[in-house]
């Protein structure tokens, strides 16, 4: 016989065996049980032994999978503290109205999903009646991340409790005319109901983790006690394939987030078919979550299965359930009893005998209907277990049937995600199945009616009483009456007005210095939430470590290696900095939780998330849309910005396009400041607009994106000319003229306007000097702080013109009377400055760093992309030559002179 031990050595071989004889006796006992009672009995005994060891506190690795049965046996289920029959009637009304809403809307072609809520109805109803805390008690309540495709069921419940009327349901997915309901949870579209956007798959799970974590952060820092707030995330089993869905699982367990529960609706189906056709998604998820340190509760089978498990004296039923793949379980849902007898029970002699004791009706009841996620008692027990578990988050794996109660045409069919309506006959069958008092005559002209038991009915009174006891309606978003945050003292902002003198300062460092001053403010300093993905030292933020501390729920349990240094690595339970590790997605999720704290908890905080600009919008733009949808407020700071300023890092670090992506987001105010004083002006305005006393016509629900650079350069003093602040905020102002720069050019010299943003303005200033001194051309230099805001203003002016209102775009006002053509340059692709081209009256052209980045020195990279000062000079001469203002030969001469 082959020596398997020699082939598969164990880590135990490295440990000393103090009693080899005793070890051999244990192994012999296992061999004897296996031979006498079979391997299944041996496995059972080993499992029970491991359970006893765990109970006794013996340190052993946990098993990653348990059998394909319920975690909580029927005998251990607590009694539901409510009227189960009443809750069943409420659920029936919600099922009906959800299906009716989508079906009635199908005539407009707007779509909708029926099958998801049909499978998850009890998962929600049990929570609403017994667990989900509303906001009327402490202003926060619980945070509910509703699965997007289940939204019709949530609307149906809001209709039942009087928060929505029939006109709203009839405008499901038709919002333009008013009284409409958005397709999915969209706070920006329905801000009194929805708190969290979830339908972009995977963003709900990671957001829920960081929301639970941020709740602990607020509590630890003494901003608000959220000990009683619980985060519930309702997810699909197919959704868990998204990388964001599982990206933060170990964070949740590592920090002991027992204020978090995932409820995964395991209906075994994704959009096109089975989630794991040849495998078992529940077992896979259990292993994943257990391995990540979560408490796992499985609620798979309904009470109809109790009789079958009692008959399973050999373990054959449990073994068979473990081996049947998900796609076959789905097939059983649609087949008759004879097929199930043959295919399921017929594989094992013990099961054949068991099946003889079961009627066809019993078999169909078990395999067609009875699932743990479809019974309030099972769901209630799982939720109670989740809240009782301490020290780790809990995931509930609830098995359901997709399309449950909708009829044979829907239940477990692969196409049910795309099926948008039921026929009248199918509705009548559903009515009978749900035992609803809806008459045939209520179907007028073939239109399915909405159902409502009446505003004063026992169902509605029960629903409202339960919600009142739990703290009011849910889900609900509330804007708390919070006073505007006081503006910090001007001293912090004006510190940059005089410039940096002879010292070179990168704008990244200028921003960090500004924040360092602002966090000292007595009124608002503690409300700043610095977020960084393990790059704080890159951005010069290490000076904040000892003064603010890095948040850790455990504090600092070790002596840091740099403890003897001034800027040592300090962690603290009340630390202010969130150093997230190498996770842009996690950092964005944390930023979203912080940026919406003003609504979620009635406690405004000021988050700024600083990161490599290349890795923000490119990697996590979906979360930026989520941020805009959730009406978040704060500062995103793209550091080491631009395509040529991050020397040596190369293609995947060189950002030439983040402002392009940012420009697509209506909630993002995108700025590319060149100088420290511009950053101060923008941040001051951002604080006023988002957190201060904004004007009535201003949208406070915006966030700012600032690009800052790592190239140390001299910071000039703020020009004393009027209108500079307005120009900075609106996107454009004249920094200097050739004359104010002390440059001399011949009388009647050709003139050109150079527009630069960010670090590119320094190349424009050098080009201004070269043009004057070597080519006799006078150039004025403009700082374009925001190409995007200029474009938006111009578009609004166009729209006003169509309404018959005369309005001149700001970019045209600013450049009015400016002589000569306009040449725009930035450290981004030309598409960025070209945003304003159509509204500039002068001849307009641009330079930019198009293409892929590369590893080089700054100077060589700029020459490569044709955006350095000499390239600007050649481009300027070419523009002037086309106008006949300089000799055409000057262009060739310049190219040769500069080696272009």
């Amino acid at each position: 016989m082959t020596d398997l031990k020699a082939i598969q050595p164990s880590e135990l071989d490295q440990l000393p065996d103090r009693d080899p004889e005793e070890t051999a006796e244990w192994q012999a006992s296992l061999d004897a049980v296996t031979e006498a009672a079979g391997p299944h009995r041996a496995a059972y005994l080993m499992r029970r032994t491991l359970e006893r060891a765990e109970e006794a506190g013996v340190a052993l690795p946990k098993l990653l999978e348990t059998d394909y049965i319920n975690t909580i046996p029927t005998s251990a289920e607590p009694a539901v503290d409510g009227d189960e029959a009443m809750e069943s009637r409420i659920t029936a009304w919600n099922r009906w109205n959800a299906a009716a809403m989508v079906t009635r809307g199908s005539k407009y072609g707007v779509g909708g999903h029926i099958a998801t809520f049909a499978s998850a109805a009890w998962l929600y109803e049990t929570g609403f009646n017994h667990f989900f805390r509303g906001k009327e008690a402490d202003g926060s309540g619980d945070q509910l991340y509703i699965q997007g495709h289940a939204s019709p069921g949530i609307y149906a419940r809001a209709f039942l409790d009087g928060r929505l009327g029939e006109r709203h349901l009839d405008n499901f997915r038709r919002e333009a005319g008013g009284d409409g309901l958005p397709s999915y949870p969209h706070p920006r579209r329905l801000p009194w109901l929805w708190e969290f956007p979830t339908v972009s798959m995977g963003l709900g799970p990671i957001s829920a983790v960081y929301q639970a974590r941020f709740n602990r952060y607020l509590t630890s820092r003494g901003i608000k006690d959220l000990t009683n707030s619980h985060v519930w995330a309702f997810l699909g089993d197919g959704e868990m394939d998204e990388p964001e869905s599982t990206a933060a699982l170990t964070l949740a367990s590592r920090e002991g987030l027992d204020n978090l529960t995932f409820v995964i609706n395991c209906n075994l189906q994704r959009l096109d078919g089975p989630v794991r056709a040849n495998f078992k998604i529940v077992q896979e998820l259990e292993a994943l979550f257990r391995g990540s340190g979560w408490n796992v509760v499985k609620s798979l089978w309904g009470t109809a299965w109790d009789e079958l498990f009692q008959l399973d004296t050999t373990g054959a039923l449990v073994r068979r359930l473990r081996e049947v793949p998900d796609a076959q379980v789905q097939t059983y849902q649609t087949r008759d009893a004879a097929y199930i007898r043959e295919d399921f029970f017929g594989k094992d002699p013990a099961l054949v005998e068991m099946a003889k004791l079961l009627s066809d009706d019993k078999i169909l009841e078990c395999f067609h209907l009875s699932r743990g996620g479809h019974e309030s008692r099972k769901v209630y027990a799982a939720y109670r277990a989740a809240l009782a578990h301490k020290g780790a988050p809990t995931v509930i794996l609830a098995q359901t049937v997709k399309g449950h109660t909708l009829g044979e045409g829907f239940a477990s069919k692969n196409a049910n995600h795309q099926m948008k309506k039921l026929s009248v006959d199918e509705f009548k069958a559903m009515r009978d199945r749900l035992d609803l008092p809806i008459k045939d005559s209520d179907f007028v002209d073939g239109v399915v009616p909405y159902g409502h038991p009446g505003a004063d009915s026992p169902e509605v009174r029960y629903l409202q009483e339960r919600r009142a006891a739990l703290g009011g309606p849910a889900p609900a978003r509330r804007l708390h009456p919070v006073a505007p945050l006081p503006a910090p003292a001007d001293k912090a902002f004006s510190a940059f007005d005089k410039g940096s003198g002879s010292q070179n300062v990168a704008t990244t460092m200028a921003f960090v210095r500004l924040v360092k001053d602002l966090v000292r403010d007595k009124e608002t300093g503690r409300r700043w939430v610095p977020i960084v993905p393990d790059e704080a030292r890159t951005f010069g933020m290490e000076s904040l470590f000892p003064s603010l501390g890095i948040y850790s729920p455990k504090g600092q349990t070790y002596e840091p290696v740099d403890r003897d240094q001034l800027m040592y690595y300090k962690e603290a339970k009340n630390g202010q900095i969130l150093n997230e590790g190498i996770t842009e997605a996690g950092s964005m999720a944390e930023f979203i939780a912080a940026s919406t704290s003003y609504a979620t908890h009635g406690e405004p905080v000021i988050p700024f998330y600083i990161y490599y600009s290349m890795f923000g919008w490119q990697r996590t733009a979906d979360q930026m849309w989520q941020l805009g949808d959730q009406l978040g407020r704060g500062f995103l700071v793209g550091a080491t910005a631009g395509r040529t300023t991050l020397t040596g890092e190369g293609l995947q670090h060189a950002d030439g396009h983040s402002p392009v992506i940012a420009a697509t987001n209506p909630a993002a105010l995108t700025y590319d400041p060149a100088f420290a004083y511009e950053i101060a002006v923008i941040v001051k305005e951002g604080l006023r607009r988002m957190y201060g006393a904004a004007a009535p016509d201003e949208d406070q629900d915006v966030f700012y994106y600032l690009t800052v650079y790592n190239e140390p350069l001299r910071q000039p003093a703020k020009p004393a000319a009027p209108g500079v602040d307005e120009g900075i905020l609106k996107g454009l102002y004249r920094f200097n003229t050739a004359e104010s720069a002390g440059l001399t050019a011949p009388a009647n010299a050709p003139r050109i306007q150079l527009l630069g943003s960010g670090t590119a303005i320094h190349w424009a200033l050098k080009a201004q000097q070269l043009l004057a001194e070597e080519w006799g051309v006078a150039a004025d230099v403009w700082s374009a702080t925001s190409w995007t805001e200029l474009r938006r203003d111009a578009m609004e002016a166009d729209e006003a013109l169509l309404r018959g209102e005369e309005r001149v775009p700001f970019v045209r006002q600013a450049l009015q009377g400016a002589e000569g053509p306009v040449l725009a340059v930035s450290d981004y692709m030309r598409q960025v400055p070209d945003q304003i081209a159509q509204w500039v009256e002068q001849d307009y052209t641009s330079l930019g760093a198009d293409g892929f980045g590369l590893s080089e020195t700054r100077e060589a990279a700029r020459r490569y992309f044709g955006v350095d000062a000499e390239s600007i000079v050649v481009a300027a001469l070419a523009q002037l030559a086309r106008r006949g203002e300089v000799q055409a030969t000057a262009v060739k001469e310049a190219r040769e002179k500069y080696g272009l």
Side-chain angles (χ1 to χ4, degrees), residues 185-382:
H186 291 307
R188 187 169 285 275
R189 292 303 185 197
L190 201 61
W192 60 267
L193 180 72
W194 298 120
E195 280 195 285
F196 308 109
T198 57
V199 81
S200 190
M201 297 290 120
L203 300 191
I206 192 171
S207 295
V209 171
Y210 280 91
Q211 182 67 58
R213 197 272 191 109
F214 188 71
N215 289 356
R216 291 282 173 86
Y217 171 87
L218 289 179
T219 301
S220 297
R221 294 199 51 228
I223 293 176
K224 186 171 186 178
D225 184 357
L226 297 170
T227 305
N228 294 325
S229 280
H230 200 83
V231 179
W232 301 82
F234 290 84
L235 316 168
D237 47 0
E239 179 180 7
M240 300 310 295
D241 284 346
E242 287 285 2
E244 293 88 354
S245 295
T246 57
L249 297 187
T250 52
L251 167 72
S253 60
R254 184 169 64 247
E255 299 202 358
L257 298 181
D258 50 24
N259 60 337
L260 170 67
T261 297
F262 277 15
V263 182
I264 303 182
N265 177 15
C266 297
N267 56 35
L268 314 184
Q269 289 182 249
R270 53 190 181 197
L271 307 189
D272 288 331
V275 179
R276 292 291 183 274
N278 298 294
F279 306 92
K280 302 189 80 62
I281 186 61
V282 168
Q283 299 300 85
E284 180 181 320
L285 291 174
E286 178 183 29
L288 173 67
F289 279 89
R290 283 187 185 277
S292 299
W294 286 53
N295 175 47
V296 179
V297 177
K298 293 197 291 191
S299 183
L300 308 180
W301 309 111
T303 53
W305 283 82
D306 288 350
E307 179 183 342
L308 276 68
F309 288 125
Q310 290 169 4
L311 295 172
D312 185 29
T313 58
T314 66
L317 176 62
V318 173
R319 291 196 299 273
R320 181 67 178 134
L321 289 173
R322 190 166 59 233
E323 68 187 22
V324 175
D326 283 353
Q328 194 62 26
V329 174
Q330 181 185 351
T331 297
Y332 293 149
Q333 173 69 32
T334 65
R335 303 300 290 270
D336 59 21
Y339 177 88
I340 298 171
R341 284 182 187 277
E342 178 181 354
D343 191 85
F344 181 84
F345 293 96
K347 303 296 184 181
D348 187 299
L351 293 181
V352 171
E353 294 303 311
M354 178 189 295
K356 293 177 180 178
L357 304 175
L358 304 174
S359 66
D360 285 355
D361 287 345
K362 182 65 176 180
I363 289 175
L364 293 178
E365 180 187 12
C366 289
F367 284 84
H368 284 195
L369 303 174
S370 188
R371 299 290 188 274
H374 293 326
E375 296 187 13
S376 62
R377 186 174 292 266
K378 302 290 185 186
V379 176
Y380 182 90

Side-chain angles (χ1 to χ4, degrees), residues 309-647:
F309 288 125
Q310 290 169 4
L311 295 172
D312 185 29
T313 58
T314 66
L317 176 62
V318 173
R319 291 196 299 273
R320 181 67 178 134
L321 289 173
R322 190 166 59 233
E323 68 187 22
V324 175
D326 283 353
Q328 194 62 26
V329 174
Q330 181 185 351
T331 297
Y332 293 149
Q333 173 69 32
T334 65
R335 303 300 290 270
D336 59 21
Y339 177 88
I340 298 171
R341 284 182 187 277
E342 178 181 354
D343 191 85
F344 181 84
F345 293 96
K347 303 296 184 181
D348 187 299
L351 293 181
V352 171
E353 294 303 311
M354 178 189 295
K356 293 177 180 178
L357 304 175
L358 304 174
S359 66
D360 285 355
D361 287 345
K362 182 65 176 180
I363 289 175
L364 293 178
E365 180 187 12
C366 289
F367 284 84
H368 284 195
L369 303 174
S370 188
R371 299 290 188 274
H374 293 326
E375 296 187 13
S376 62
R377 186 174 292 266
K378 302 290 185 186
V379 176
Y380 182 90
Y383 287 4
R384 279 278 173 234
L387 293 180
H389 188 83
K390 299 303 177 184
T394 293
V395 60
I396 296 169
L397 303 175
Q399 187 160 270
T400 66
V401 174
K402 194 168 185 178
H404 182 60
T405 73
L406 295 180
E408 295 181 0
F410 266 86
S412 281
K413 296 299 175 64
N414 280 337
N416 60 21
H417 184 78
Q418 303 301 327
M419 297 161 68
K420 311 299 182 186
K421 58 183 179 180
L422 279 70
S423 68
V424 169
D425 288 342
E426 287 173 322
F427 265 110
K428 290 179 179 178
M430 181 183 177
R431 170 202 60 191
D432 297 340
R433 196 177 302 117
L434 298 175
D435 194 24
L436 291 173
I438 297 174
K439 302 184 293 294
D440 286 355
S441 58
D442 293 334
F443 292 81
V444 179
D445 297 326
V447 177
V448 57
Y450 295 120
H452 200 292
D456 196 39
S457 64
E459 292 92 335
V460 172
R461 287 201 307 273
Y462 180 89
L463 182 156
Q464 293 176 340
E465 288 168 1
R466 300 300 297 190
R467 288 310 316 156
L470 287 165
R477 182 179 182 273
R478 294 285 184 269
L479 276 181
H480 305 266
V482 178
L485 295 183
D490 278 338
K491 182 180 179 181
F493 303 105
S494 61
F496 298 95
D497 288 355
K498 294 181 180 180
S500 62
S502 60
Q503 182 183 8
N504 289 335
V505 177
T507 52
T508 298
M509 288 305 305
F511 176 81
V512 172
R513 288 184 187 180
L514 175 61
V515 170
K516 192 173 181 180
D517 289 340
L518 292 175
V519 296
R520 294 194 184 107
D521 185 83
K522 292 182 180 180
E523 295 290 337
T524 60
R526 73 188 189 106
R527 293 189 179 273
W528 281 86
V529 181
I531 301 170
V532 59
D534 198 36
E535 288 281 3
R537 297 181 192 277
T538 301
F539 309 137
M541 291 175 59
E542 64 269 28
S543 62
L544 300 178
F545 288 170
S547 58
L548 300 185
I550 300 165
Y551 170 72
S552 169
K554 289 184 176 295
Q556 194 154 38
T557 61
Y558 61 92
E559 183 177 356
V561 67
D562 54 0
R563 182 63 182 86
D564 58 341
Q565 298 179 14
L566 180 63
M567 293 183 287
Y568 71 96
Y569 195 82
K570 177 186 175 183
E571 296 187 80
K573 290 183 179 179
N574 64 344
Q576 194 164 350
I577 300 170
L578 290 166
N579 194 315
E580 299 297 356
I582 304 175
T583 167
E584 280 82 12
S587 299
M588 267 307 302
E590 191 82 74
F591 182 84
I592 292 171
S595 70
T596 54
S597 179
Y598 73 94
T600 307
H601 298 305
E603 291 288 348
V605 297
I606 310 166
F608 79 88
Y609 165 33
I610 187 169
Y611 55 89
Y612 269 63
S613 65
M614 180 72 168
F615 302 146
W617 289 90
Q618 176 164 301
R619 286 189 177 180
T620 58
D622 198 11
Q623 288 178 290
M624 273 79 166
W625 278 93
Q626 180 188 13
L627 167 65
D629 191 349
Q630 202 167 318
L631 295 87
R633 304 171 184 173
F635 296 96
L636 297 176
V637 183
T640 62
R643 183 148 277 163
T644 69
T645 59
L646 188 60
T647 56

Side-chain angles (χ1 to χ4, degrees), residues 623-857:
Q623 288 178 290
M624 273 79 166
W625 278 93
Q626 180 188 13
L627 167 65
D629 191 349
Q630 202 167 318
L631 295 87
R633 304 171 184 173
F635 296 96
L636 297 176
V637 183
T640 62
R643 183 148 277 163
T644 69
T645 59
L646 188 60
T647 56
E649 292 286 354
L651 186 151
Q652 287 185 272
H653 286 64
D655 172 26
H657 55 280
S658 68
V660 178
I661 307 174
T664 66
N665 191 308
L669 305 185
T670 302
Y671 286 90
D672 187 25
F675 305 126
Y677 67 80
E678 293 177 350
I679 293 173
V681 170
I682 294 166
V683 171
K684 181 180 180 180
E685 170 65 6
L687 291 174
R688 182 202 66 80
R689 179 167 176 175
M690 295 185 291
Y691 301 98
D697 60 341
E698 283 184 307
D699 182 3
Q700 282 190 276
D701 299 321
V702 296
F703 60 92
Y704 282 67
Y705 175 51
L706 279 69
T707 48
V708 293
Y709 299 83
N710 69 322
E711 183 176 9
L713 293 165
R714 187 184 69 83
Q715 297 297 321
K718 184 178 179 180
V724 171
D725 283 10
E726 179 189 24
I728 291 171
L729 298 176
K730 289 191 173 182
L732 184 67
Y733 69 97
R734 181 154 36 200
F735 175 72
N736 70 13
T737 64
E739 292 75 17
S740 66
L743 301 171
T744 59
N748 300 319
R751 186 171 290 271
I752 190 169
Q753 308 299 317
L754 302 180
L755 277 57
S757 70
T759 193
I761 201 169
H762 296 279
W763 323 328
L765 289 169
K766 182 179 178 182
Q768 179 190 44
Q769 181 179 357
L770 293 175
L771 283 166
E773 295 176 353
E774 299 183 6
W775 303 99
V777 173
D780 300 339
V781 175
W782 300 70
S783 180
T785 54
S786 180
W787 310 100
T788 302
E789 288 306 297
L790 290 173
R791 174 180 175 80
R792 287 177 176 168
D793 171 80
M795 291 173 64
E796 290 173 5
D798 287 351
E799 293 171 4
L801 188 62
L802 294 175
R803 296 192 299 267
E805 304 171 16
E806 289 294 334
R807 181 177 160 191
V808 180
F810 179 80
V811 65
R812 190 169 294 167
Q813 295 178 45
L815 291 171
Q816 186 173 12
E819 298 178 34
V822 171
L823 174 60
V825 61
S826 79
D827 204 15
Y828 300 95
M829 57 197 303
R830 290 178 61 182
Q831 189 172 338
V832 174
D834 284 352
Q835 291 180 84
I836 66 170
Q838 72 185 81
W839 292 281
V840 176
E841 292 182 314
Q842 294 89 339
D843 292 340
Y844 185 93
T845 191
S846 64
L847 296 175
D850 285 79
F852 288 109
L854 76 165
S855 298
E856 255 300 352
T857 64

